[in-house]
Amino acid sequence: MYRVRSSVTARAANLGGWAWGCGRRGVHQRARLPPLGHGWVGGLGEGKGLELGVKLAGGLRGAAPAPPPAAPDPEASPQAEAPRQPEQSLAPWAPQTPTPPLSKRFAKAIKNSRDLLHRIKDEVGAPGIVVGVSVDGKEVWSEGLGYADVENRVPCKPETVMRIASISKSLTMVALAKLWEAGKLDLDIPVQYYVPEFPEKEYEGEKVSVTTRLLISHLSGIRHYEKDMKKVKEEKAYKALKMMKETMEFDQEKQLREKGGKSNEKNDFAKAQIEQDNEAKGRNSKPGKKKNDFEQGELYLKEKFENSIESLRLFKNDPLFFKPGSQFLYSTFGYTLLAAIVERASGCKYLDYMQKIFHDLDMLTTVQEENEPVIYNRARFYVYNKNRRLVNTPYVDNSYKWAGGGFLSTVGDLLKFGNAMLYGYQVGLFKNSNENLLPGYLKPETMVMIWTPVPNTEMSWDKEGKYAMAWGVVEKKQTYGSCRKQRHYASHTGGAVGASSVLLVLPEELDGDATNNKVPPRGIVVSIICNMQSVGLNSTALKIALEFDKDRSD
């Protein structure tokens, strides 16, 4: 639904703010206007809103409003009413805000991206989805499709607030980075220095150290929601074997190409023997069925935890699944421990420290998810049951994992966050051409560290990339001329009960001359949030980013 406000209604809404706070019906009656019916606040169309705004403005100023053309007779029948502006459709695919002038330049990208989102939404059966895109630091498109609240037919809009799930990890990284820059946090000493409540660990009888740096990149060995160590290890071994098989096949094909495609019976026999051996190993080592995250009981905790230290009891006494630093094991609980480290290193409560960061970044709608507060524009969250019927998700309390997956936000706030990170990453490149640039929220060297892929890690939402420090990063790569060119980008996805999300940053490819007469941030930022779980959004966000990058180049 487009929003239309005339100057008259705007002045009427802003006039005498105290009066609105003292009761809108009282003001209306004192202005001697006709009585208001039930549900008047939310039920006005654009025409009624304009008509009431004109009358109310005149009543509050003590002067009669200018009569509109063909003013209706109060005694006349409804058919004699003056012509009104047509009400805007509340169709779930209608854009929620007027299209800014800048978006005309990106009309083709918006059209193609909207079509893509419709396809994704229909494919997965998501009730609602919201997207936001910025180009070079300016928001050029934000729109909601579908419903934020299916039962009450509340359409999604850019201001819709949803769970951002694991994008919370990227937010927590900013807190850790600020403390590290201030010299209050050492990333490479054992976590017990800050949180002695977390017991020292052993792995296979050997004493090992868990550090903040290892926790950030999911290399600590601390478990995720799956508690069965055997199942996790079997799955890891199976994936490693499968990857080794694919690598061997690729190497063999490469050797054949280098030899001009020539082969002989001996090579063919050896290849067949290797394939047979690998298949046999695969059959013997294929893991048993492991529950996915949404089948794990801990994801649906209803207990409220007062602080991060208290949340540690969920996992602090569990054994490490791997030796720290040896293998990647994605762990939201690792970020619960990081929240405790933030508290001890900063001397503030984790949420207080995060709210200061949100204030600095102008992320005014980003808050921790709690059930009690009234949070304007908060969506409801959905899932399909066993009968494939859309149902509300069960109540959950995310206080045990605010740092790793417990914040609410909007696409607009996520765009601000992405651009702040992109500015910090690029500002060092522009300093020589523009000395008046403000510093980034994080230093360039800090952002380079955060967006540098870490060895032994995985990026589950894009196999081409690696996990860095609370971000997944894909590096620039092109193997063959006039063929696929892999762009450098950073992103993080999120999956929570009844919610999916992604934040993706596609930096502009800059060289020495490209910084002249330009200021950071330079690049595309895309954020998508959805009130349905298990919706993969990273590839969609990347396609949208490339659409806008193409329009920008043209």
Side-chain angles (χ1 to χ4, degrees), residues 119 121 194 216 271 331 418 478-479 499 507 518:
R119 292 169 185 267
K121 180 183 176 301
Y194 301 102
I216 291 168
K271 183 178 178 181
S331 173
Q478 186 171 6
T479 307
K518 294 180 180 179

Side-chain angles (χ1 to χ4, degrees), residues 504-535:
L504 184 143
V505 181
L506 181 73
E508 180 181 340
E509 296 180 321
L510 297 169
D511 54 33
D513 297 330
T515 60
N516 293 330
N517 302 318
K518 294 180 180 179
V519 293
R522 303 290 303 179
I524 316 294
V525 180
V526 179
S527 59
I528 308 174
I529 52 178
C530 172
N531 57 351
M532 168 67 67
Q533 65 195 42
S534 302
V535 181

Side-chain angles (χ1 to χ4, degrees), residues 70-119:
D73 183 349
E75 302 297 326
S77 63
Q79 287 82 358
E81 284 188 3
R84 297 181 301 189
Q85 295 180 7
E87 294 187 9
Q88 297 293 333
S89 168
L90 278 180
W93 55 84
Q96 303 303 314
T97 54
T99 306
L102 186 61
S103 68
K104 291 180 181 178
R105 179 182 168 192
F106 300 100
K108 184 179 177 182
I110 291 172
K111 179 179 179 295
N112 293 342
S113 299
R114 183 184 291 124
D115 181 65
L116 176 61
L117 280 176
H118 275 302
R119 292 169 185 267

